[in-house]
Structures are given as structure tokens and as C-alpha cells.
């Protein structure tokens, strides 16, 4: 057999100049907010493939660099970067005793390393031993290397057999082939994650999603929009450059185990898991009525025995003056016209006719249905409750509801057993056993006590506000998903609210708004808004409001939500009506119960403390102001400072501690040689596309 010595320059002799191409340059310079970048060009570039004219093997995107003919429109000549830079001599590990030289032959020959038969071509040859290897075996190390934009160093796959290991990209364990970085010993990535498409179209979102390897701009409180769980600052993810939209890799893609969390977590699949006919009286939340009142529904359903509390002389047990049945629409609660009319029974806006009002002109009103509340609730969980609606100190000091924990100075139901301090407001007295919620369609939410399910989960957090649900609280749980709502967010947030600064109703939103790229802030308190928590939003005007700030518009625009208080979830004084007149023996004038607003910059006359955002008594005649907690003993003998301590304990208990960064273990990787393989980017189907 005749062999001809060749130089590397002779192998790549070509009539046209060659150009070094970087296949990943478009990805390296990619900006998500650049509307001039064509997504189709990015997809085409990642799917690039051609044949090397020297070794005859494939050139792909993961080689990153290759040489092409400068006359590409008429000439398709291409070659690997490694083939362009071949050396004329080689020290081969399988034949260490002699140096191999680059040869060329027009006759057939066989590679002694892989035993492949060749008709002709270029190879490395030992003249002493008559030993030949082809270019693929000679460039084995280069062929196993891949370049990926998600890591700065080349990666190598040298696994002899499929192994079980943790993938750096997705944070999950896989069994199969891994690529490793010899520089960063902790970096090991499964071939499925290596070949993920850089751009992905998903039925979960209106825009194309981009594979992201960097997380410096993702807020720490962001959640996956499919499984509604937290996103690690280390794992790769898909995100949208036009919206605040982030999803886990395994949530947006469907590729079998272990990537199946979409079926076991999150906001539910599209198939309904119950029959509506089996639950004819099921309540659907959020309630569309701005008064957010479930009492009329229960009284109409006939499940409770109720009676008319208005006597023949038009007197009601909760008030000292006769009541009139009013049917004048101009007097209704209307936040757009700054008319604020709250019911003294359920402490909700009066939006329907007729209703009862005091004929003496005092600030007392009742829904018509609040005059027909049942005197007893026998089917309440764990207690037999009696209606409490008599005038007393509770009209201004209030009580803490044993279910929702909110303070209330309206009507309530108290346990009839001696020495039992179980008290609930009228809304929680009718707390449903099961509900449907728009935020979690197709699955029933059942009422449970948090302590009964915390054995399977260390902590429970409300998916609406992110606040931890205490063990003694009732919450609503999905039996199919890891989805929980505390009873405040589940029952007390209406579907729409009105804002006097916006002519459109604002709708309750459960996630960041599509096509909203800017930061969110609340129109009421003018502070930061976290869109991963529920909030109110006007699509036409792009205005947003904390869900806890919404009732401030409906009541008295109090400056309660300052930086010292929680601005998520439900407004903590939603069950308090202000404006009651209270008379003390130590003061000649009636005192008004109000909430200290931002304009109340003075100090308490008793403790010399700030008045802003605290419950205060205020005299409109002599301007005397003091905290409710600093007030004297009321006529019934109960100390008012108990209410102030109760309020302080409540707010301290609801403060959410700052989340700790998740600790990630370093994976130990063992390297083994394997056959040469090249990754291929495939077409990934989303979960909704599965047959």
C-alpha cells in the first residue's frame, strides 16, 4: 500500500478563503427585550448541522466553532475547527511506543482503533508497526467536547454506562448520560438538559419562552407560574422577556419521569376532578359582588332557621333608636362618589336595596338580611353558636374572630358553652365546608385545620399572600395539589373593586400581568407590590393595588398600610367599622372611634406615642386624642388596653420572616470513557400537546 506524507495545509486546500464561524454568537449577545431579534433565526441556528469535508463527520451547534467557505452562496465547503488545525504528528494513547504521522492513501485501509473499513482518505500511520487510525479516533477528545452557552467551559461526556446523578441545570436526579466540566468539578448536566431548545413555544403562555441560565434579575419571591412553587436561584428555567413569567424546566416540558410535577402540583390540570351535580349548593369564589357577602346566599338557601329581629316598634336589639326601611339609591355605598355606607352587622358595604337606617340620623345601618340572621348555628364545626348583636363595648373595642383572626366590632356568634371563649364574626359563622375558587379551577377546595395536615408538610403557606398558615387556623386545601388558601384570602377578597382614581373596575389578579414589563407599585400606598401574590389590577390603565389596600378605598382611605405593617393578603381591619361615638365619664364630650391616618401626625395625649396607623379616640370639639389602648375603663368594666395588646400581637404574628436562600449540595461526579456521541436538539412537546 502506498502512503503519501501530507501537511495539514494540504488537507484543507480549497479554492476560496475560509471563514471561522461562531455558531453561538447570536446566543451570547442575545437580549430578551430586543424586539429586533428574530426567534426563528435563533431556533434555526441551534438546529444547524452540516458535514465536514475532511473527516466526513457531522458539524453541529455544540461544536460552536467551524470553518466555512467564504463563497457560501455557491460553495458548501465546511470543516471542523479541529480538522482545520490537524498536526502532522500524533502521540496516540493506544499506540504509545511510536509517533504516528499524518498520511494520505487512495487504497482501502482499516482503523486499528475502531476497526472501521475505509476506501481511501487521510489518517495517522506508524510505518514501523503498520498501524493506522482514522481522524475520528485521532480527534476523539475534540469529538467528545461540546460547547454550551449555559457554561463558560467545554463539557465532556466520558461515561461508560448510564449513571444516576443530580443534574446541575434542573436540580433533579437523572439516570443516563451526563456531560461534565473538568474545570468546575461540581458541574454535571444530563443530556436532556444539554439539548433543551433555547426558544420554546408553550400553550401555558402567549409569548415564546427563553431558556435562562442567569438569575440575577429574578426577584427572590418569584414562583413558577405552573406549579406555583418557589424558583431556585441556581437552577435553569424558562422565562418570558415580555412579561414577568418564569417556569421550571420540568413544568413547561413533558418528557416522562422524573419531570411529572405538572400532574401532582400547582393550579390543576384542565380536567375537572368532581361532578358539579354532586354539589348543588357549592359556593364559587371570589364573589363578584363588591360587598363580598355570603349571608344572603345562606339565608335564601333555607339551610338555617332565621327570624325577623325588627320588632313592631321598629327597634333592633343592637341599637337604641328606631330603624327605618330605606329605599333611596342615592344613599348607597359608592366609592366613586366617596359615599361610604357600611353595615353595622356584617361590616360590609351596603350596595343593594332596601336596608335599615337609624331615624335619628346617627351612623347606624343594617342590610335587610342582617336583620334576619339565625339566632343559633348548630352545625358549626365543633361549637354551638348563639348570635350576639346587643349594644356593648364590643361596638367599639371589638373581638378577635377565632377562625380568621381578624378584629370585628360587628355582629358575631359566641359559643354557648360556659367559659368557652370561641367567638366568630358572622361571615366565619357560615364558613363553607367546600368551595370552588377561580384561582384553582376544576378542583374542589375543602376546609381543613392546618394542624391536621402539617405532619406531611413542615410549613403551609397561603398561595395568595405567601404568609405561613398557623396550625390552629382553618384553611382551604386541594386534595389533588399542593395548593392552600387561608380563609381570609379565600373568602374575603371580592372579584372586583372600584378606585376613585380609576374609572374602570379593578379585577383580582392571581399572577403577574401579561405584557407588563415594568415594576409594580400600589396606587393606594405607593409602595412596592409583589405580583406573584394576589393583587387588584386595571388592564386598561395598568394600575395595580395591594389586596390589603383595596378596602381602604371602600372605607375611609386610612393610612394604615405603612412600612410597619403587612401589605399582603386581606386588610386586617376589614371587619371594623369606624365612626362610633363613645362617652367616657372622665370627658364631657363624645369620643369618635377612628383609625389614625397619615394626616394624624400628632401624639397620644396619654402615652405621647404616634397616632398614625393606630386605633384612636378623637374628640371633634376639644381635639383630645388618645389611643384606644390608653383609654379609661369602659362602662361595662372591660379595660380597653386589652384590645390594643390584642391588635399588636396580631400584627406581630402575621409578619413574614425573610426567606432564606436554599442551600445546594455539591454533586460528586465520577468520569468514565465512553463512545463518541453528539447531542441533538430535538423538538420538545409541552404537557398540553401530549396525546
Amino acid at each position: 500500500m502506498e502512503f503519501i506524507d501530507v501537511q495539514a495545509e494540504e488537507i484543507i486546500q480549497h479554492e476560496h478563503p475560509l471563514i471561522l464561524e461562531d455558531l453561538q454568537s447570536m446566543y451570547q449577545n442575545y437580549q430578551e427585550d430586543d424586539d429586533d431579534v428574530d426567534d426563528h433565526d435563533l431556533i434555526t441556528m441551534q438546529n444547524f448541522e452540516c458535514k465536514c469535508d475532511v473527516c466526513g463527520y457531522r458539524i453541529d451547534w455544540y461544536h460552536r466553532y467551524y470553518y466555512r467557505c467564504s463563497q457560501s452562496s455557491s460553495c458548501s465547503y465546511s470543516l471542523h475547527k479541529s480538522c482545520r488545525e490537524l498536526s502532522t504528528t500524533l502521540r496516540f494513547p493506544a499506540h504509545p511506543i511510536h509517533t504516528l504521522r499524518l498520511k494520505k492513501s487512495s487504497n482501502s485501509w482499516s482503523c486499528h482503533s475502531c476497526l472501521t473499513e475505509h476506501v481511501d482518505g487521510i489518517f495517522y500511520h506508524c510505518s514501523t508497526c503498520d498501524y493506522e487510525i482514522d481522524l475520528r479516533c485521532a480527534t476523539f477528545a475534540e469529538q467528545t467536547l461540546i460547547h454550551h452557552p449555559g457554561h463558560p467551559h467545554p463539557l465532556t461526556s466520558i461515561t461508560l454506562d448510564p449513571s444516576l446523578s443530580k443534574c446541575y441545570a434542573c436540580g433533579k436526579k437523572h439516570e443516563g448520560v451526563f456531560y461534565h466540566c473538568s474545570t468546575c468539578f461540581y458541574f454535571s448536566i444530563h443530556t436532556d438538559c444539554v439539548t433543551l431548545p433555547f426558544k420554546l413555544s408553550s400553550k401555558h403562555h402567549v409569548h415564546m419562552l427563553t431558556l435562562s441560565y442567569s438569575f440575577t434579575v429574578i426577584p427572590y419571591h418569584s414562583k413558577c407560574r405552573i406549579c406555583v412553587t418557589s424558583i431556585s436561584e441556581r437552577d435553569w428555567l424558562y422565562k418570558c422577556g415580555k412579561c414577568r413569567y418564569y417556569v421550571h424546566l420540568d413544568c413547561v416540558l413533558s418528557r416522562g419521569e422524573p419531570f411529572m410535577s405538572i400532574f401532582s402540583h400547582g393550579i390543576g390540570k384542565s380536567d375537572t376532578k368532581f361532578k358539579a351535580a354532586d354539589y348543588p349548593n357549592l359556593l364559587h369564589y371570589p364573589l363578584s359582588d363588591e360587598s363580598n357577602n355570603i349571608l344572603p346566599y345562606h339565608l335564601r338557601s333555607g339551610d338555617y332557621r332565621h327570624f325577623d329581629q325588627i320588632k313592631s316598634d321598629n327597634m333592633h336589639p343592637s341599637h337604641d333608636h328606631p330603624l327605618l326601611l330605606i329605599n333611596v339609591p342615592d344613599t348607597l355605598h359608592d366609592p366613586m362618589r366617596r359615599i361610604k355606607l357600611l353595615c353595622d352587622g356584617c361590616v360590609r358595604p351596603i350596595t343593594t336595596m332596601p336596608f335599615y337606617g337609624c331615624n335619628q340620623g346617627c351612623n347606624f345601618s343594617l342590610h335587610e338580611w342582617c336583620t334576619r340572621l339565625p339566632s343559633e348555628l348548630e352545625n358549626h364545626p365543633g361549637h354551638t353558636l348563639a348570635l350576639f348583636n346587643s349594644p356593648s363595648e364590643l361596638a367599639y373595642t371589638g373581638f378577635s374572630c377565632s377562625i380568621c383572626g381578624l378584629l370585628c366590632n360587628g355582629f358575631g356568634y359566641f359559643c354557648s358553652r360556659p367559659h368557652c371563649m370561641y367567638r366568630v364574626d358572622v361571615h366565619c359563622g357560615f364558613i363553607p365546608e367546600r368551595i370552588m375558587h377561580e384561582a384553582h379551577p376544576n378542583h374542589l377546595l375543602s376546609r381543613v385545620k392546618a394542624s391536621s395536615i402539617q405532619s406531611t408538610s413542615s410549613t403551609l403557606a397561603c398561595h395568595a399572600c405567601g404568609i405561613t398558615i398557623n396550625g390552629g387556623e382553618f384553611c382551604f386545601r386541594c386534595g389533588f395539589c399542593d395548593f392552600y388558601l387561608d380563609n381570609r384570602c379565600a373568602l374575603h377578597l371580592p372579584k372586583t373593586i372600584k378606585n376613585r382614581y380609576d374609572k374602570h373596575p379593578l379585577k383580582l389578579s392571581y399572577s403577574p400581568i401579561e405584557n407588563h414589563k415594568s415594576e409594580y407599585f400600589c396606587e393606594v400606598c405607593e409602595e412596592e407590590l409583589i405580583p406573584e401574590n394576589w393583587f387588584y389590577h386595571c388592564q386598561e390603565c395598568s394600575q395595580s393595588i395591594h389586596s390589603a389596600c383595596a378596602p381602604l378605598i371602600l372605607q375611609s382611605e386610612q393610612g394604615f398600610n405603612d412600612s410597619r405593617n403587612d401589605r399582603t393578603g386581606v386588610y386586617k381591619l376589614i371587619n371594623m367599622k369606624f365612626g362610633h361615638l363613645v362617652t367616657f365619664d372622665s370627658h364631657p364630650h363624645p369620643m369618635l372611634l377612628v383609625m389614625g391616618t397619615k394626616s394624624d401626625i400628632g401624639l397620644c395625649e396619654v402615652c405621647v406615642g404616634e397616632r398614625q396607623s393606630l386605633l384612636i379616640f378623637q374628640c371633634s370639639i376639644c381635639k383630645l386624642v388618645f389611643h384606644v389602648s390608653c383609654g379609661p375603663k369602659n362602662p361595662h368594666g372591660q379595660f380597653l388596653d386589652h384590645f390594643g395588646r390584642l391588635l399588636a400581637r396580631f400584627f406581630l404574628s402575621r409578619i413574614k420572616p425573610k426567606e432564606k436562600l436554599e442551600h445546594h449540595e455539591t454533586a460528586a461526579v465520577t468520569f468514565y470513557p465512553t463512545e463518541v456521541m453528539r447531542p441533538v436538539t430535538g423538538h420538545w412537546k409541552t404537557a398540553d400537546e401530549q396525546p
Side-chain angles (χ1 to χ4, degrees):
M1 182 184 298
E2 182 180 0
F3 300 125
I4 303 175
D5 288 341
V6 294
Q7 298 295 321
E9 292 78 6
E10 299 179 35
I11 298 176
I12 58 170
Q13 287 183 353
H14 188 63
E15 54 186 331
H16 306 132
L18 300 179
I19 298 176
L20 180 64
E21 286 283 359
D22 183 354
L23 290 170
Q24 296 180 13
S25 60
M26 186 181 298
Y27 290 83
Q28 300 296 328
N29 302 321
Y30 175 71
Q31 298 292 331
E32 287 187 88
D33 56 355
D34 187 357
D35 294 331
D36 295 331
V37 177
D38 190 341
D39 291 336
H40 179 72
D41 291 343
L42 291 166
I43 296 172
T44 302
M45 186 67 74
Q46 189 175 12
N47 292 329
F48 173 85
E49 182 178 332
C50 67
K51 183 179 179 180
C52 176
D53 284 277
V54 172
C55 68
Y57 294 107
R58 173 167 59 98
I59 301 174
D60 58 53
W61 178 72
Y62 299 99
H63 283 107
R64 182 170 179 175
Y65 301 103
Y66 84 106
Y67 284 91
R68 67 169 178 86
C69 179
S70 59
Q71 307 296 322
S72 57
S73 58
S74 57
C75 180
S76 60
Y77 185 85
S78 305
L79 70 160
H80 293 108
K81 184 174 182 291
S82 58
C83 291
R84 171 68 175 81
E85 300 169 353
L86 284 174
S87 173
T88 56
T89 60
L90 176 70
R91 299 290 295 184
F92 192 62
H95 191 77
I97 57 175
H98 301 126
T99 299
L100 308 182
R101 299 190 63 83
L102 192 62
K103 302 286 185 176
K104 184 176 181 180
S105 174
S106 57
N107 301 320
S108 60
W109 55 277
S110 177
C111 175
H112 284 74
S113 178
C114 63
L115 306 180
T116 302
E117 296 287 343
H118 297 273
V119 177
D120 55 15
I122 301 171
F123 51 91
Y124 282 93
H125 175 71
C126 173
S127 57
T128 304
C129 306
D130 197 21
Y131 181 92
E132 301 96 20
I133 62 168
D134 57 25
L135 294 183
R136 180 172 183 175
C137 294
T139 59
F140 176 86
E142 289 80 3
Q143 291 292 330
T144 58
L145 287 178
I146 67 169
H147 296 263
H148 197 283
H151 193 71
H153 309 130
L155 307 177
T156 307
S157 176
I158 53 175
T159 306
L160 183 61
D161 295 311
S163 60
L164 178 64
S165 183
K166 186 176 181 180
C167 175
Y168 179 92
C170 65
K172 303 295 179 64
K173 284 189 175 181
H174 294 260
E175 182 175 8
V177 177
F178 282 79
Y179 285 86
H180 313 277
C181 177
S182 58
T183 303
C184 309
F185 69 95
Y186 62 87
F187 191 87
S188 178
I189 179 172
H190 189 263
T191 183
D192 282 352
C193 292
V194 166
T195 58
L196 288 175
F198 188 74
K199 302 293 291 188
L200 178 71
S201 178
S202 171
K203 290 186 178 181
H204 297 289
H205 191 57
V206 295
H207 305 131
M208 291 201 74
L209 304 179
T210 303
L211 183 58
S212 176
Y213 323 109
S214 176
F215 329 99
T216 56
V217 297
I218 298 177
Y220 74 92
H221 44 66
S222 294
K223 298 179 181 179
C224 173
R225 295 286 289 278
I226 295 178
C227 70
V228 203
T229 59
S230 60
I231 290 177
S232 169
E233 74 281 357
R234 195 196 78 171
D235 298 340
W236 294 2
L237 54 88
Y238 277 98
K239 63 179 180 179
C240 177
K242 302 179 183 297
C243 312
R244 190 158 165 166
Y245 187 95
Y246 312 108
V247 289
H248 293 123
L249 303 183
D250 53 334
C251 290
V252 75
L253 300 173
S254 176
R255 47 184 170 177
E257 294 291 347
F259 299 96
M260 297 293 285
S261 65
I262 187 173
F263 299 107
S264 58
H265 300 89
I267 57 175
K269 284 281 292 175
S270 59
D271 54 327
T272 303
K273 297 295 184 181
F274 69 97
K275 295 181 179 179
D278 296 337
Y279 304 92
N281 296 324
L282 188 66
L283 283 170
H284 293 254
Y285 286 87
L287 299 180
S288 57
D289 185 4
E290 193 168 324
S291 65
N292 198 44
N293 210 320
I294 63 172
L295 300 182
Y297 170 83
H298 287 296
L299 295 177
R300 287 194 302 266
S301 67
D303 295 335
Y304 299 90
R305 296 191 301 271
H306 55 273
F307 65 100
D308 192 353
Q309 301 164 2
I310 301 295
K311 308 304 179 182
S312 58
D313 56 358
N314 291 332
M315 296 297 293
H316 189 272
S318 64
H319 196 57
D320 296 330
H321 305 144
L323 302 180
L324 296 176
L325 189 62
I326 301 174
N327 198 12
V328 183
D330 288 342
T331 62
L332 286 180
H333 181 94
D334 187 353
M336 303 298 286
R337 298 171 57 189
R338 301 179 69 83
I339 299 173
K340 302 169 181 65
L341 186 61
L342 297 183
C343 174
D344 282 75
C346 63
V347 201
R348 291 293 183 272
I350 297 178
T351 60
T352 58
M353 305 298 291
F355 70 96
Y356 285 91
C358 179
N359 67 354
Q360 300 296 320
C362 64
N363 183 29
F364 184 88
S365 303
L366 285 177
H367 287 110
E368 187 273 337
W369 54 74
C370 286
T371 66
R372 297 186 289 109
L373 289 170
S375 58
E376 290 187 353
L377 297 179
E378 298 178 354
N379 57 349
H380 188 82
H383 297 269
T384 298
L385 303 181
L387 179 64
F388 184 88
N389 60 359
S390 300
S392 70
E393 71 278 2
L394 294 180
Y396 53 90
T397 61
F399 63 92
S400 177
C401 177
S402 299
I403 290 183
C404 67
L406 299 174
L407 296 167
C408 176
N409 62 352
F411 295 173
Y413 283 95
F414 292 3
C415 184
S416 57
R417 291 182 298 181
H419 309 295
C420 182
M421 297 301 295
Y422 188 83
R423 303 174 176 183
V424 297
D425 60 63
V426 291
H427 300 280
C428 291
F430 295 90
I431 185 171
E433 184 178 355
R434 297 180 183 86
I435 65 170
M436 274 292 299
H437 203 287
E438 185 181 57
H440 195 81
N442 308 310
H443 291 171
L444 283 177
L445 301 181
S446 301
R447 183 191 68 214
V448 295
K449 206 162 188 177
S451 58
S452 66
I453 54 178
Q454 282 186 332
S455 58
T456 58
S457 178
S458 56
T459 58
L460 300 180
C462 175
H463 279 74
C465 61
I467 297 176
T468 300
I469 302 174
N470 295 326
E473 294 185 46
F474 281 108
C475 66
F476 287 91
R477 174 196 186 190
C478 175
F480 295 94
C481 312
D482 187 20
F483 186 91
Y484 305 91
L485 293 178
D486 63 42
N487 60 83
R488 294 173 295 277
C489 294
L491 307 180
H492 290 300
L493 296 178
K495 189 170 186 177
T496 59
I497 58 103
K498 294 181 180 178
N499 182 344
R500 64 187 179 91
Y501 297 110
D502 195 326
K503 61 182 179 180
H504 311 108
L506 288 88
K507 184 179 179 181
L508 184 62
S509 297
Y510 311 116
S511 57
I513 306 300
E514 291 181 352
N515 296 308
H516 190 291
K517 297 175 65 174
S518 59
E519 293 297 321
Y520 292 76
F521 70 95
C522 177
E523 296 290 336
V524 173
C525 67
E526 298 182 351
E527 297 191 24
E528 178 191 8
L529 185 148
I530 300 174
E532 284 76 17
N533 296 330
W534 292 5
F535 64 102
Y536 287 94
H537 183 78
C538 175
Q539 192 71 46
E540 289 82 358
C541 304
S542 296
Q543 292 190 354
S544 303
I545 295 176
H546 287 119
S547 58
C549 290
L552 301 179
I553 303 167
L554 301 177
Q555 294 185 4
S556 57
E557 284 94 23
Q558 296 124 356
F560 178 67
N561 281 21
D562 65 2
S563 59
R564 294 172 295 177
N565 296 316
D566 188 11
R567 297 190 302 278
T568 59
V570 175
Y571 177 51
K572 302 305 181 294
L573 299 180
I574 193 174
N575 288 335
M576 292 290 292
K577 179 176 179 178
F578 302 104
H580 293 292
L581 290 174
V582 183
T583 301
F584 297 104
D585 294 337
S586 58
H587 190 71
H589 310 129
M591 304 290 290
L592 195 66
L593 174 68
V594 296
M595 170 60 69
T597 65
K598 291 183 179 180
S599 60
D600 290 310
I601 57 177
L603 301 177
C604 172
E605 303 287 345
V606 178
C607 70
V608 199
E610 292 184 359
R611 303 181 329 214
Q612 179 180 338
S613 301
L614 297 173
L615 285 174
I616 58 176
F617 285 119
Q618 186 178 75
C619 180
S620 59
I621 298 177
C622 62
K623 308 302 180 183
L624 175 70
V625 178
F626 53 85
H627 297 136
V628 167
S629 58
C630 296
K633 193 181 293 185
N634 64 36
H636 295 271
Q638 181 180 1
F639 284 95
L640 295 180
D641 60 351
H642 169 72
F643 178 70
R645 292 195 299 270
L646 181 64
L647 182 64
R649 285 201 307 270
F650 176 81
F651 290 134
L652 290 175
S653 67
R654 304 306 295 172
I655 295 177
K656 181 182 179 184
K658 188 174 181 180
E659 296 182 6
K660 296 181 179 180
L661 295 179
E662 182 182 355
H663 175 70
H664 297 280
E665 297 181 357
T666 302
V669 180
T670 304
F671 296 87
Y672 296 96
T674 186
E675 65 180 14
V676 176
M677 61 171 294
R678 300 297 304 170
V680 178
T681 303
H683 169 67
W684 290 98
K685 292 184 178 181
T686 61
D688 291 339
E689 295 177 314
Q690 294 304 299

